[in-house]
Amino acid sequence: MESNSLMLLALLPGILIIFYVYKMDKVEKEPWRLIGKLVLIGMLSCIPTALLEGVIDGMMPAWPEGSLPYALSMAFASAALCEEICKYVFLRLGVWKNPNFGYRFDGILYAVSVSVGFAMLENVLYVAQGDLTVALMRGVLTVPLHAFCGVFMGVFLGAAKKARVEGRGSGKLTVLALFVPMMIHGIYDTLAFLGNGTATILLLAFVLAMYIVSIRCIRSFSADDASSAFYPDTEPFAGQDKAQQESFSSYAYGPRGTQTGGQRPHPGQVSDGRIILICPYCRRGLRVPVGAGRIRIRCPHCGKEFNEIT
């Protein structure tokens, strides 16, 4: 098989995964430029990963290949630990303060993009030394593995961002954003390093289960964000009393465009496809997508629900 076709086959699974997750972003589409940047960031995270793995591998005892101690140490202490930490650090630096990070599902899309970027470069390197069989096996198993880890890393990253926006602690969620992907990655690699018949059957069963769980998770968070989950930009709005806030109409759209001069958004202002509303119960500012029609909104501050037309 021609090398160009083989390289395309090495990249195709990652591209399809990103397109699928992007399609499931129902509330507000993320800019493709940002997605491309995150894929590139994921590729760059391979460099410190390789350096760290080299150091840790050199410190490992000389366990026989195929043994359980060898599989566990190489899977958890080397591959899972180094790869997931590096991916998370690069992801966090790339998106935590990005103004586009406004919904919980964004965390999933961002983390999958970084993880798949890592997997795509890794896949190209392996396929370049292999053949069609390597490309097909890694496309079905290894690239999706990184995406699975990205899904759960993104779930907890989005939850951590939500907690930070609401003034709550995010430390435990940050730990989970690292721990859960490490466990998924470690289990996969342990079974792969064992390499016997039983481990192979368990590996295929584990990957199938992760396909089902990850797709359900993506669909669940996508549906939830589309109906009620969003973050406020600033709350409450300074310099406005209750009477002033009530005087603003939800439908009186303000000037479009991004904020300038450090000014706070005001009720009715539209920016980046979202309109600023005021919760009728707690009087705090919310950012809601424009053009969604009549939606049921749950305020992230007071928990009350109300109907609105956008």
Side-chain angles (χ1 to χ4, degrees):
M1 192 173 185
E2 294 184 3
S3 59
N4 290 340
S5 299
L6 206 57
M7 289 302 101
L8 178 60
L9 190 58
L11 295 172
L12 186 59
I15 294 172
L16 293 177
I17 289 171
I18 291 175
F19 268 98
Y20 170 73
V21 180
Y22 181 85
K23 182 181 177 181
M24 296 301 291
D25 189 1
K26 301 295 186 182
V27 178
E28 183 183 64
K29 296 295 185 185
E30 301 304 295
W32 276 112
R33 183 176 180 179
L34 175 58
I35 302 303
K37 169 190 168 184
L38 293 174
V39 171
L40 179 59
I41 283 176
M43 293 180 177
L44 292 175
S45 70
C46 289
I47 299 173
T49 298
L51 296 174
L52 286 173
E53 286 182 340
V55 172
I56 292 177
D57 290 351
M59 299 168 59
M60 291 291 182
W63 302 108
E65 288 192 22
S67 66
L68 183 59
Y70 171 83
L72 287 171
S73 60
M74 293 299 292
F76 284 95
S78 179
L81 180 68
C82 297
E83 292 181 21
E84 299 308 324
I85 285 179
C86 289
K87 285 189 289 186
Y88 180 81
V89 169
F90 276 61
L91 169 66
R92 180 89 177 212
L93 293 174
V95 302
W96 187 254
K97 295 183 179 180
N98 192 297
N100 291 289
F101 193 0
Y103 296 81
R104 287 182 300 174
F105 193 83
D106 293 349
I108 295 178
L109 178 56
Y110 297 159
V112 168
S113 298
V114 170
S115 297
V116 168
F118 182 102
M120 288 168 72
L121 179 58
E122 185 184 59
N123 212 30
V124 166
L125 296 175
Y126 273 98
V127 171
Q129 304 174 43
D131 53 16
L132 177 61
T133 302
V134 173
L136 292 176
M137 291 298 293
R138 289 186 61 83
V140 174
L141 299 175
T142 309
V143 176
L145 161 73
H146 285 281
F148 302 151
C149 294
V151 167
F152 289 96
M153 184 178 289
V155 165
F156 293 109
L157 179 74
K161 181 65 181 284
K162 185 175 189 293
R164 180 66 62 86
V165 168
E166 295 179 350
R168 297 183 287 111
S170 59
K172 292 182 179 179
L173 294 167
T174 298
V175 171
L176 288 172
L178 280 166
F179 178 77
V180 175
M182 283 182 189
M183 291 300 102
I184 295 171
H185 198 148
I187 292 171
Y188 175 96
D189 278 1
T190 297
L191 296 173
F193 286 138
L194 286 172
N196 56 49
T198 301
T200 300
I201 294 173
L202 291 174
L203 176 64
L204 294 175
F206 178 72
V207 171
L208 178 60
M210 290 308 305
Y211 266 108
I212 295 171
V213 172
S214 296
I215 290 173
R216 286 184 176 178
C217 184
I218 289 170
R219 289 179 175 177
S220 175
F221 273 78
S222 172
D224 186 54
D225 268 12
S227 62
S228 63
F230 46 84
Y231 299 131
D233 246 1
T234 55
E235 71 286 344
F237 294 105
Q240 296 172 1
D241 58 26
K242 184 175 180 180
Q244 287 176 311
Q245 291 176 351
E246 289 176 344
S247 69
F248 284 101
S249 168
S250 299
Y251 316 107
Y253 293 172
R256 292 181 179 271
T258 57
Q259 302 167 38
T260 58
Q263 296 179 347
R264 291 173 176 261
H266 58 78
Q269 178 178 329
V270 173
S271 175
D272 298 328
R274 287 173 284 187
I275 183 172
I276 305 300
L277 302 181
I278 293 294
C279 172
Y281 299 99
C282 68
R283 317 310 306 168
R284 287 187 149 191
L286 312 173
R287 299 180 71 206
V288 184
V290 174
R294 179 174 289 276
I295 58 175
R296 185 73 173 169
I297 301 170
R298 182 186 299 116
C299 177
H301 304 287
C302 66
K304 299 289 185 63
E305 294 187 351
F306 61 98
N307 292 321
E308 186 59 273
I309 299 176
T310 62

mmCIF file of all heavy atoms in Angstrom, residues 11 14-15 18 35-36 38-46 87 110-124 143 146-147:
data_model
loop_
_atom_site.group_PDB
_atom_site.id
_atom_site.type_symbol
_atom_site.label_atom_id
_atom_site.label_comp_id
_atom_site.label_asym_id
_atom_site.label_seq_id
_atom_site.Cartn_x
_atom_site.Cartn_y
_atom_site.Cartn_z
ATOM 1 N N LEU A 11 -4.373 8.965 9.909
ATOM 2 C CA LEU A 11 -4.968 10.206 10.404
ATOM 3 C C LEU A 11 -6.500 10.161 10.425
ATOM 4 O O LEU A 11 -7.134 10.863 11.219
ATOM 5 C CB LEU A 11 -4.523 11.383 9.531
ATOM 6 C CG LEU A 11 -3.040 11.728 9.548
ATOM 7 C CD1 LEU A 11 -2.730 12.779 8.494
ATOM 8 C CD2 LEU A 11 -2.613 12.230 10.927
ATOM 9 N N GLY A 14 -8.784 9.703 13.785
ATOM 10 C CA GLY A 14 -8.794 10.876 14.655
ATOM 11 C C GLY A 14 -9.648 11.996 14.095
ATOM 12 O O GLY A 14 -10.393 12.659 14.826
ATOM 13 N N ILE A 15 -9.562 12.210 12.786
ATOM 14 C CA ILE A 15 -10.357 13.254 12.139
ATOM 15 C C ILE A 15 -11.840 12.953 12.287
ATOM 16 O O ILE A 15 -12.645 13.842 12.608
ATOM 17 C CB ILE A 15 -9.974 13.382 10.655
ATOM 18 C CG1 ILE A 15 -8.526 13.881 10.518
ATOM 19 C CG2 ILE A 15 -10.932 14.313 9.918
ATOM 20 C CD1 ILE A 15 -7.998 13.855 9.106
ATOM 21 N N ILE A 18 -13.068 13.659 15.904
ATOM 22 C CA ILE A 18 -13.229 15.082 16.184
ATOM 23 C C ILE A 18 -14.487 15.624 15.512
ATOM 24 O O ILE A 18 -15.258 16.391 16.119
ATOM 25 C CB ILE A 18 -11.985 15.869 15.727
ATOM 26 C CG1 ILE A 18 -10.795 15.527 16.625
ATOM 27 C CG2 ILE A 18 -12.252 17.379 15.770
ATOM 28 C CD1 ILE A 18 -9.496 16.155 16.186
ATOM 29 N N ILE A 35 -10.020 24.507 17.457
ATOM 30 C CA ILE A 35 -9.915 23.054 17.416
ATOM 31 C C ILE A 35 -8.584 22.638 16.797
ATOM 32 O O ILE A 35 -7.894 21.742 17.292
ATOM 33 C CB ILE A 35 -11.089 22.442 16.630
ATOM 34 C CG1 ILE A 35 -12.427 22.851 17.254
ATOM 35 C CG2 ILE A 35 -10.955 20.919 16.591
ATOM 36 C CD1 ILE A 35 -12.577 22.476 18.696
ATOM 37 N N GLY A 36 -8.228 23.289 15.680
ATOM 38 C CA GLY A 36 -6.948 22.984 15.047
ATOM 39 C C GLY A 36 -5.768 23.265 15.962
ATOM 40 O O GLY A 36 -4.793 22.496 16.009
ATOM 41 N N LEU A 38 -5.792 23.101 19.207
ATOM 42 C CA LEU A 38 -5.759 22.083 20.246
ATOM 43 C C LEU A 38 -5.211 20.758 19.722
ATOM 44 O O LEU A 38 -4.517 20.036 20.445
ATOM 45 C CB LEU A 38 -7.160 21.892 20.832
ATOM 46 C CG LEU A 38 -7.703 23.089 21.611
ATOM 47 C CD1 LEU A 38 -9.145 22.853 22.017
ATOM 48 C CD2 LEU A 38 -6.849 23.379 22.833
ATOM 49 N N VAL A 39 -5.533 20.423 18.481
ATOM 50 C CA VAL A 39 -4.958 19.213 17.882
ATOM 51 C C VAL A 39 -3.437 19.353 17.803
ATOM 52 O O VAL A 39 -2.696 18.418 18.132
ATOM 53 C CB VAL A 39 -5.557 18.967 16.484
ATOM 54 C CG1 VAL A 39 -4.809 17.845 15.767
ATOM 55 C CG2 VAL A 39 -7.036 18.619 16.588
ATOM 56 N N LEU A 40 -2.984 20.525 17.396
ATOM 57 C CA LEU A 40 -1.539 20.772 17.325
ATOM 58 C C LEU A 40 -0.914 20.719 18.716
ATOM 59 O O LEU A 40 0.173 20.147 18.904
ATOM 60 C CB LEU A 40 -1.279 22.134 16.689
ATOM 61 C CG LEU A 40 0.194 22.557 16.567
ATOM 62 C CD1 LEU A 40 0.969 21.545 15.734
ATOM 63 C CD2 LEU A 40 0.301 23.954 15.964
ATOM 64 N N ILE A 41 -1.600 21.276 19.715
ATOM 65 C CA ILE A 41 -1.112 21.216 21.097
ATOM 66 C C ILE A 41 -0.979 19.766 21.547
ATOM 67 O O ILE A 41 -0.007 19.384 22.212
ATOM 68 C CB ILE A 41 -2.065 21.996 22.024
ATOM 69 C CG1 ILE A 41 -1.838 23.502 21.876
ATOM 70 C CG2 ILE A 41 -1.865 21.585 23.483
ATOM 71 C CD1 ILE A 41 -2.803 24.350 22.677
ATOM 72 N N GLY A 42 -1.967 18.944 21.183
ATOM 73 C CA GLY A 42 -1.903 17.530 21.532
ATOM 74 C C GLY A 42 -0.699 16.851 20.917
ATOM 75 O O GLY A 42 -0.032 16.020 21.555
ATOM 76 N N MET A 43 -0.400 17.198 19.659
ATOM 77 C CA MET A 43 0.784 16.635 19.006
ATOM 78 C C MET A 43 2.060 17.069 19.717
ATOM 79 O O MET A 43 2.973 16.266 19.937
ATOM 80 C CB MET A 43 0.821 17.054 17.540
ATOM 81 C CG MET A 43 -0.286 16.456 16.696
ATOM 82 S SD MET A 43 -0.194 17.003 14.970
ATOM 83 C CE MET A 43 -1.534 16.064 14.232
ATOM 84 N N LEU A 44 2.111 18.339 20.092
ATOM 85 C CA LEU A 44 3.307 18.847 20.774
ATOM 86 C C LEU A 44 3.498 18.199 22.147
ATOM 87 O O LEU A 44 4.633 18.070 22.619
ATOM 88 C CB LEU A 44 3.210 20.365 20.930
ATOM 89 C CG LEU A 44 3.294 21.188 19.639
ATOM 90 C CD1 LEU A 44 3.051 22.660 19.929
ATOM 91 C CD2 LEU A 44 4.644 20.985 18.955
ATOM 92 N N SER A 45 2.401 17.786 22.777
ATOM 93 C CA SER A 45 2.525 17.157 24.092
ATOM 94 C C SER A 45 3.235 15.809 24.022
ATOM 95 O O SER A 45 3.643 15.262 25.053
ATOM 96 C CB SER A 45 1.143 16.992 24.737
ATOM 97 O OG SER A 45 0.370 16.013 24.067
ATOM 98 N N CYS A 46 3.384 15.269 22.800
ATOM 99 C CA CYS A 46 4.132 14.016 22.638
ATOM 100 C C CYS A 46 5.604 14.185 23.022
ATOM 101 O O CYS A 46 6.255 13.219 23.459
ATOM 102 C CB CYS A 46 4.052 13.530 21.182
ATOM 103 S SG CYS A 46 2.434 12.901 20.682
ATOM 104 N N LYS A 87 -0.895 15.587 28.467
ATOM 105 C CA LYS A 87 -2.065 16.037 27.714
ATOM 106 C C LYS A 87 -2.892 17.024 28.536
ATOM 107 O O LYS A 87 -3.362 18.041 28.017
ATOM 108 C CB LYS A 87 -2.928 14.837 27.289
ATOM 109 C CG LYS A 87 -2.336 14.035 26.142
ATOM 110 C CD LYS A 87 -3.308 12.996 25.614
ATOM 111 C CE LYS A 87 -3.521 11.865 26.562
ATOM 112 N NZ LYS A 87 -4.354 10.787 25.980
ATOM 113 N N TYR A 110 -12.750 20.023 23.727
ATOM 114 C CA TYR A 110 -11.356 20.466 23.840
ATOM 115 C C TYR A 110 -10.439 19.297 24.208
ATOM 116 O O TYR A 110 -9.376 19.114 23.615
ATOM 117 C CB TYR A 110 -11.223 21.555 24.902
ATOM 118 C CG TYR A 110 -11.965 22.835 24.619
ATOM 119 C CD1 TYR A 110 -12.293 23.711 25.645
ATOM 120 C CD2 TYR A 110 -12.343 23.186 23.333
ATOM 121 C CE1 TYR A 110 -12.964 24.898 25.396
ATOM 122 C CE2 TYR A 110 -13.027 24.361 23.077
ATOM 123 C CZ TYR A 110 -13.329 25.216 24.113
ATOM 124 O OH TYR A 110 -13.999 26.387 23.872
ATOM 125 N N ALA A 111 -10.831 18.519 25.213
ATOM 126 C CA ALA A 111 -9.978 17.426 25.681
ATOM 127 C C ALA A 111 -9.847 16.332 24.626
ATOM 128 O O ALA A 111 -8.767 15.750 24.452
ATOM 129 C CB ALA A 111 -10.531 16.849 26.984
ATOM 130 N N VAL A 112 -10.936 16.039 23.919
ATOM 131 C CA VAL A 112 -10.865 15.050 22.843
ATOM 132 C C VAL A 112 -9.939 15.546 21.738
ATOM 133 O O VAL A 112 -9.149 14.775 21.176
ATOM 134 C CB VAL A 112 -12.272 14.745 22.293
ATOM 135 C CG1 VAL A 112 -12.188 13.954 20.988
ATOM 136 C CG2 VAL A 112 -13.089 13.963 23.320
ATOM 137 N N SER A 113 -9.997 16.827 21.414
ATOM 138 C CA SER A 113 -9.138 17.380 20.362
ATOM 139 C C SER A 113 -7.662 17.234 20.723
ATOM 140 O O SER A 113 -6.839 16.831 19.894
ATOM 141 C CB SER A 113 -9.479 18.853 20.123
ATOM 142 O OG SER A 113 -10.814 19.006 19.676
ATOM 143 N N VAL A 114 -7.316 17.560 21.967
ATOM 144 C CA VAL A 114 -5.920 17.414 22.405
ATOM 145 C C VAL A 114 -5.514 15.945 22.418
ATOM 146 O O VAL A 114 -4.434 15.576 21.929
ATOM 147 C CB VAL A 114 -5.725 18.038 23.798
ATOM 148 C CG1 VAL A 114 -4.351 17.681 24.363
ATOM 149 C CG2 VAL A 114 -5.876 19.556 23.730
ATOM 150 N N SER A 115 -6.361 15.090 22.966
ATOM 151 C CA SER A 115 -6.039 13.669 23.067
ATOM 152 C C SER A 115 -5.905 13.028 21.692
ATOM 153 O O SER A 115 -5.005 12.210 21.453
ATOM 154 C CB SER A 115 -7.121 12.951 23.877
ATOM 155 O OG SER A 115 -7.170 13.426 25.202
ATOM 156 N N VAL A 116 -6.811 13.387 20.786
ATOM 157 C CA VAL A 116 -6.751 12.824 19.438
ATOM 158 C C VAL A 116 -5.541 13.378 18.682
ATOM 159 O O VAL A 116 -4.920 12.666 17.884
ATOM 160 C CB VAL A 116 -8.068 13.106 18.686
ATOM 161 C CG1 VAL A 116 -7.930 12.806 17.206
ATOM 162 C CG2 VAL A 116 -9.194 12.261 19.284
ATOM 163 N N GLY A 117 -5.189 14.635 18.922
ATOM 164 C CA GLY A 117 -3.979 15.175 18.317
ATOM 165 C C GLY A 117 -2.756 14.372 18.732
ATOM 166 O O GLY A 117 -1.898 14.031 17.899
ATOM 167 N N PHE A 118 -2.676 14.054 20.015
ATOM 168 C CA PHE A 118 -1.601 13.197 20.524
ATOM 169 C C PHE A 118 -1.625 11.851 19.808
ATOM 170 O O PHE A 118 -0.595 11.357 19.337
ATOM 171 C CB PHE A 118 -1.779 13.002 22.031
ATOM 172 C CG PHE A 118 -0.708 12.182 22.689
ATOM 173 C CD1 PHE A 118 0.300 12.793 23.407
ATOM 174 C CD2 PHE A 118 -0.714 10.789 22.596
ATOM 175 C CE1 PHE A 118 1.296 12.043 24.024
ATOM 176 C CE2 PHE A 118 0.275 10.032 23.203
ATOM 177 C CZ PHE A 118 1.280 10.654 23.923
ATOM 178 N N ALA A 119 -2.816 11.241 19.716
ATOM 179 C CA ALA A 119 -2.946 9.911 19.123
ATOM 180 C C ALA A 119 -2.618 9.921 17.635
ATOM 181 O O ALA A 119 -2.046 8.953 17.115
ATOM 182 C CB ALA A 119 -4.363 9.388 19.347
ATOM 183 N N MET A 120 -2.973 11.006 16.936
ATOM 184 C CA MET A 120 -2.720 11.071 15.498
ATOM 185 C C MET A 120 -1.228 11.064 15.191
ATOM 186 O O MET A 120 -0.768 10.336 14.294
ATOM 187 C CB MET A 120 -3.397 12.305 14.908
ATOM 188 C CG MET A 120 -4.910 12.197 14.845
ATOM 189 S SD MET A 120 -5.739 13.771 14.477
ATOM 190 C CE MET A 120 -5.311 13.985 12.765
ATOM 191 N N LEU A 121 -0.460 11.860 15.931
ATOM 192 C CA LEU A 121 0.981 11.876 15.700
ATOM 193 C C LEU A 121 1.595 10.530 16.081
ATOM 194 O O LEU A 121 2.426 9.975 15.343
ATOM 195 C CB LEU A 121 1.637 12.998 16.507
ATOM 196 C CG LEU A 121 3.161 13.103 16.354
ATOM 197 C CD1 LEU A 121 3.551 13.296 14.893
ATOM 198 C CD2 LEU A 121 3.715 14.247 17.207
ATOM 199 N N GLU A 122 1.189 9.996 17.217
ATOM 200 C CA GLU A 122 1.671 8.684 17.642
ATOM 201 C C GLU A 122 1.333 7.625 16.604
ATOM 202 O O GLU A 122 2.152 6.748 16.290
ATOM 203 C CB GLU A 122 1.052 8.333 18.995
ATOM 204 C CG GLU A 122 1.571 7.046 19.611
ATOM 205 C CD GLU A 122 0.842 6.704 20.901
ATOM 206 O OE1 GLU A 122 -0.394 6.544 20.854
ATOM 207 O OE2 GLU A 122 1.507 6.597 21.945
ATOM 208 N N ASN A 123 0.114 7.718 16.061
ATOM 209 C CA ASN A 123 -0.337 6.745 15.070
ATOM 210 C C ASN A 123 0.491 6.818 13.798
ATOM 211 O O ASN A 123 0.869 5.793 13.217
ATOM 212 C CB ASN A 123 -1.811 6.988 14.747
ATOM 213 C CG ASN A 123 -2.546 5.707 14.412
ATOM 214 O OD1 ASN A 123 -2.200 4.643 14.918
ATOM 215 N ND2 ASN A 123 -3.540 5.795 13.550
ATOM 216 N N VAL A 124 0.776 8.023 13.344
ATOM 217 C CA VAL A 124 1.588 8.206 12.135
ATOM 218 C C VAL A 124 2.965 7.576 12.325
ATOM 219 O O VAL A 124 3.486 6.899 11.422
ATOM 220 C CB VAL A 124 1.714 9.703 11.786
ATOM 221 C CG1 VAL A 124 2.822 9.931 10.764
ATOM 222 C CG2 VAL A 124 0.390 10.240 11.247
ATOM 223 N N VAL A 143 -6.395 4.729 18.804
ATOM 224 C CA VAL A 143 -6.861 6.117 18.657
ATOM 225 C C VAL A 143 -8.146 6.352 19.456
ATOM 226 O O VAL A 143 -8.253 7.346 20.189
ATOM 227 C CB VAL A 143 -7.044 6.484 17.173
ATOM 228 C CG1 VAL A 143 -7.613 7.893 17.038
ATOM 229 C CG2 VAL A 143 -5.711 6.380 16.428
ATOM 230 N N HIS A 146 -7.458 6.962 23.224
ATOM 231 C CA HIS A 146 -7.099 8.326 23.600
ATOM 232 C C HIS A 146 -8.347 9.223 23.617
ATOM 233 O O HIS A 146 -8.464 10.122 24.456
ATOM 234 C CB HIS A 146 -6.050 8.872 22.640
ATOM 235 C CG HIS A 146 -4.689 8.308 22.855
ATOM 236 N ND1 HIS A 146 -3.847 8.751 23.858
ATOM 237 C CD2 HIS A 146 -4.007 7.323 22.206
ATOM 238 C CE1 HIS A 146 -2.709 8.072 23.818
ATOM 239 N NE2 HIS A 146 -2.775 7.200 22.826
ATOM 240 N N ALA A 147 -9.261 8.977 22.690
ATOM 241 C CA ALA A 147 -10.505 9.750 22.679
ATOM 242 C C ALA A 147 -11.338 9.462 23.924
ATOM 243 O O ALA A 147 -11.936 10.371 24.516
ATOM 244 C CB ALA A 147 -11.313 9.439 21.418
#
